[in-house]
Amino acid sequence: MIAWWLGRRGLPTIVEMHDVPKGIEQIFIRKAARQNSVKLVLAVTEHLRADLATRLSVPCEKLLTLHDGIDLEISDSSITKETARQRFGLPLDKPLVVYTGQLDTEKG
């Protein structure tokens, strides 16, 4: 619904989809995807991208698969906590609350 609302206001919008919406949400994503200001509909899997194209008629030119996750082989785990906090201007002496997404065995 938010993507549709932003699109109606002409704001450039990219939507990330993790599953095929159900119920009234299907209507909103269909309408949002047809708006010029909604630039991309990102699917986290190829299967989901195909479902959005076929089941919800999201235009193929607006669909892109961008897998969630991290490639541990290219990530830099050698950086210290202090260096990372300094790099992003975060306090060194306070606890942080960070959301990283879903941690499931099915995600690897």
Side-chain angles (χ1 to χ4, degrees):
M1 184 184 301
I2 292 171
W4 171 80
W5 183 84
L6 292 169
R8 294 275 298 162
R9 278 142 188 81
L11 298 169
T13 303
I14 296 174
V15 182
E16 182 179 277
M17 303 296 296
H18 290 254
D19 53 26
V20 176
K22 294 176 175 48
I24 195 164
E25 292 176 358
Q26 288 184 352
I27 296 168
F28 280 110
I29 200 65
R30 274 191 196 114
K31 288 183 176 187
R34 287 182 176 78
Q35 295 174 11
N36 289 333
S37 58
V38 175
K39 304 301 183 187
L40 282 175
V41 178
L42 299 176
V44 297
T45 67
E46 277 298 315
H47 182 74
L48 176 57
R49 185 196 57 74
D51 279 351
L52 292 170
T54 56
R55 293 173 53 189
L56 297 185
S57 302
V58 173
C60 290
E61 63 273 9
K62 288 195 175 184
L63 281 169
L64 177 68
T65 302
L66 189 59
H67 298 280
D68 271 357
I70 184 171
D71 185 342
L72 294 176
E73 290 184 20
I74 63 170
S75 69
D76 183 4
S77 61
S78 64
I79 190 169
T80 66
K81 177 172 70 172
E82 290 76 19
T83 302
R85 286 181 179 223
Q86 287 172 345
R87 186 178 293 172
F88 293 105
L90 299 170
L92 299 174
D93 59 342
K94 295 183 180 174
L96 300 176
V97 176
V98 180
Y99 174 73
T100 59
Q102 185 175 357
L103 300 176
D104 260 343
T105 55
E106 73 180 39
K107 301 286 185 183

